[in-house]
Amino acid sequence: AAAEWKPGLSWTQVWTLAGRRGLLSGTAVVSSRSQVLGHESVTVPAGTFMAWKVSIKTVLDAKMGFVPLHQDFPEQIQWYAENVGLVRTEDAKRRTELLRLQK
């Protein structure tokens, strides 16, 4: 719960995937590490919110047949407002913001 968040808090999520398409099979492990950076005011089209700023770093390690694949994804920053949820997400190339909030 966001009420328990504090700067420096971190957690990791890991997804293990396996699949087959025709004769080709593959496996993948996606690891996502999140860390709370702080609590700050953020303004988006839906309004201004006090939100938790969270850094997310994601890594993919996969194998398709005999071919290994490693991908480090760009860091993503997300802002979460209590009783609202995700209000902004951005990385080096794009930004997504909450446009409207209906209560």
Side-chain angles (χ1 to χ4, degrees):
E4 298 171 10
W5 286 10
K6 60 184 177 183
L9 176 70
S10 65
W11 62 93
T12 301
Q13 294 175 288
V14 178
W15 298 270
T16 302
L17 310 167
R20 174 180 287 284
R21 184 168 195 169
L23 298 175
L24 186 62
S25 64
T27 59
V29 175
V30 180
S31 301
S32 180
R33 183 174 187 278
S34 301
Q35 182 174 16
V36 177
L37 301 177
H39 196 237
E40 63 186 34
S41 178
V42 62
T43 300
V44 298
T48 299
F49 303 92
M50 282 305 295
W52 289 102
K53 184 177 181 181
V54 179
S55 164
I56 302 171
K57 296 177 183 173
T58 302
V59 175
L60 167 70
D61 285 298
K63 190 178 221 182
M64 295 300 292
F66 296 105
V67 180
L69 170 69
H70 175 85
Q71 177 72 48
D72 289 310
F73 291 93
E75 178 183 26
Q76 191 176 72
I77 304 294
Q78 297 183 342
W79 286 261
Y80 292 90
E82 286 189 53
N83 300 315
V84 176
L86 183 62
V87 295
R88 176 186 280 169
T89 299
E90 64 183 45
D91 61 28
K93 295 184 179 181
R94 60 190 67 85
R95 176 186 287 184
T96 303
E97 297 179 322
L98 182 65
L99 297 177
R100 181 176 53 242
L101 179 63
Q102 294 180 320
K103 293 184 179 185

